[in-house]
């Protein structure tokens, strides 16, 4: 490996946790072991930390995080004042880390993403990358439905002009340099994996295979997945509005032709009792109009939310003193 950065960077591993009392006791020691390995192999500095972000859990997650932090100083934690969702939890963690470390790696707490990919990620940073995307090389352990719906999602996103890294979720290394610019992206509707490619800087990917959750249950049912997909598309692209305009234009052309046709039939005394065709046309146009208004409404609604400029996360507790 050709190392172009010779200083050992300080790493903060950012881990969002929501009702994860079942899995944290299993994965926390694994994160700690990985951090130790990274230190022992001279990749990162002794000051590196594991930052848990409690996303308003209703179970014992926070008391677990608190007890980890008392056992070992490599563990620290912050708590959101309430549940805000995965994206906002990651954001809170990254903003907490900003300025306190050289690199962050965000990863889920359930052990699904291969912890050992961190070694390659840090190596890529040491070789000059500023952003390193963790990309799933296989999805064998996902259900057929999850695998296919996720892949169609990436394809659709790219098709609509949003730049997302194929099969990359939120397992990524980001340098403090990039975070400095990321903080200026102040949107409330977050779709992190689509935002980092926009910031630029030298990026690369490392590949790992996705495993099964070690314990507990997924918090991303189909409903939330669809919401995330719609959010991702409307965050990164105005293509749906263009599409509506195009469909609207074609429908108008055909509509105009239809009117001429109807007038000609009328003038030639050839009118039929066309109830069925009329009903079809009315229904088709009604549906199309509602759908179009809905899509535009999505954007209007988002604009509304953005203009409020409400805080995107509120930290209510810390296991450590940030100002020290
Ligand atoms: N998570 C969170 N807030 C939420 C939902 C999930 O912080 O409202 C965290 C969760 O603890 C986990 C990560 O986000 O670390 C991914 O969630 P999950 O494993 O349930 O999703 P999946 O991997 O099934 O897509
Ligand atoms: Mg998971």
């Amino acid at each position: 490996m050709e190392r172009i950065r010779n200083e050992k960077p300080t790493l903060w591993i950012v881990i969002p946790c929501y009702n994860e009392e079942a899995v944290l006791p299993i994965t926390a020691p694994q994160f700690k072991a990985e951090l130790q390995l990274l230190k022992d192999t001279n990749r990162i500095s002794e000051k590196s930390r594991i930052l848990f972000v409690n996303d308003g859990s209703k179970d014992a997650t926070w008391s677990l995080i608190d007890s980890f932090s008392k056992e070992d100083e490599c563990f620290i934690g912050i708590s959101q004042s309430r549940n805000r969702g995965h994206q906002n939890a990651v954001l809170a963690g990254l903003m907490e880390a900003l300025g306190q470390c050289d690199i962050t790696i965000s990863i889920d707490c359930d052990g699904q993403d291969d912890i050992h990919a961190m070694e390659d990620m840090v190596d890529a940073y040491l070789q000059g990358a500023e952003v390193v995307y963790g990309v799933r090389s296989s999805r064998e352990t996902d259900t057929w439905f999850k695998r296919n719906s996720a892949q169609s999602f990436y394809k659709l996103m790219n098709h609509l002009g949003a730049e997302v890294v194929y099969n990359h979720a939120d397992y990524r290394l980001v340098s403090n340099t990039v975070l400095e610019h990321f903080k200026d992206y102040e949107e409330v509707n977050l779709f992190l994996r689509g935002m980092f490619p926009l910031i630029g800087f030298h990026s690369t990917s490392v590949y790992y295979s996705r495993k099964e959750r070690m314990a507990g249950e997924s918090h991303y049912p189909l409903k939330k997945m669809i919401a995330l997909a719609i959010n991702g598309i409307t965050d990164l692209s105005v293509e749906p509005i263009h599409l509506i305009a195009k469909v609207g234009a074609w429908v108008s052309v055909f509509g105009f032709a239809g009117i001429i046709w109807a007038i000609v039939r009328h003038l030639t005394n050839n009118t039929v009792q066309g109830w069925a065709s009329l009903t079809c046309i009315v229904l088709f146009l009604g549906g199309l109009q509602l759908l179009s208004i809905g899509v535009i409404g999505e954007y209007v609604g988002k604009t509304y939310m953005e203009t409020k400029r409400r805080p995107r996360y509120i930290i209510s507790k810390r296991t450590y003193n940030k100002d020290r």
Side-chain angles (χ1 to χ4, degrees), residues 84-216:
R84 294 293 298 271
H86 170 248
Q87 298 285 295
N88 295 70
V90 175
L91 172 77
L94 294 178
M95 290 298 104
E96 181 77 8
L98 175 69
Q100 309 223 54
C101 58
D102 304 300
I103 47 178
T104 59
I105 294 180
S106 51
I107 183 170
D108 293 352
C109 71
D110 57 10
Q112 279 193 281
D113 299 318
D114 183 8
I115 294 176
H116 291 290
M118 289 191 194
E119 294 144 41
D120 292 343
M121 287 184 170
V122 175
D123 285 345
Y125 169 79
L126 293 173
Q127 289 163 35
E130 299 282 348
V131 181
V132 186
Y133 300 105
V135 175
R136 297 164 192 180
S137 53
S138 83
R139 280 178 168 268
E140 277 142 30
T141 55
D142 278 348
T143 60
W144 178 91
F145 180 76
K146 177 128 189 173
R147 188 167 60 234
N148 280 279
S149 57
Q151 290 186 347
S152 328
F153 166 63
Y154 290 106
K155 288 200 182 117
L156 179 68
M157 292 284 292
N158 282 315
H159 192 69
L160 291 175
E163 219 180 288
V164 283
V165 179
Y166 191 65
N167 266 344
H168 158 70
D170 280 300
Y171 185 16
R172 80 178 81 74
L173 178 149
V174 180
S175 74
N176 194 59
T177 315
V178 172
L179 281 185
E180 286 285 351
H181 295 279
F182 174 69
K183 87 171 186 303
D184 298 330
Y185 285 64
E186 293 177 333
E187 59 233 62
V188 181
N189 295 288
L190 289 175
F191 190 65
L192 298 176
R193 69 189 79 164
M195 290 162 75
F196 285 99
L198 296 176
I199 302 174
F201 290 92
H202 175 41
S203 69
T204 174
S205 299
V206 302
Y207 296 85
Y208 67 94
S209 59
R210 173 121 162 133
K211 292 183 277 195
E212 257 166 277
R213 203 172 225 287
M214 298 204 166

Side-chain angles (χ1 to χ4, degrees), residues 6 100 150 206 213 218 257 261 266 324:
N6 289 317
Q100 309 223 54
V206 302
R213 203 172 225 287
S218 168
W261 172 73
H266 178 72
R324 225 162 8 124

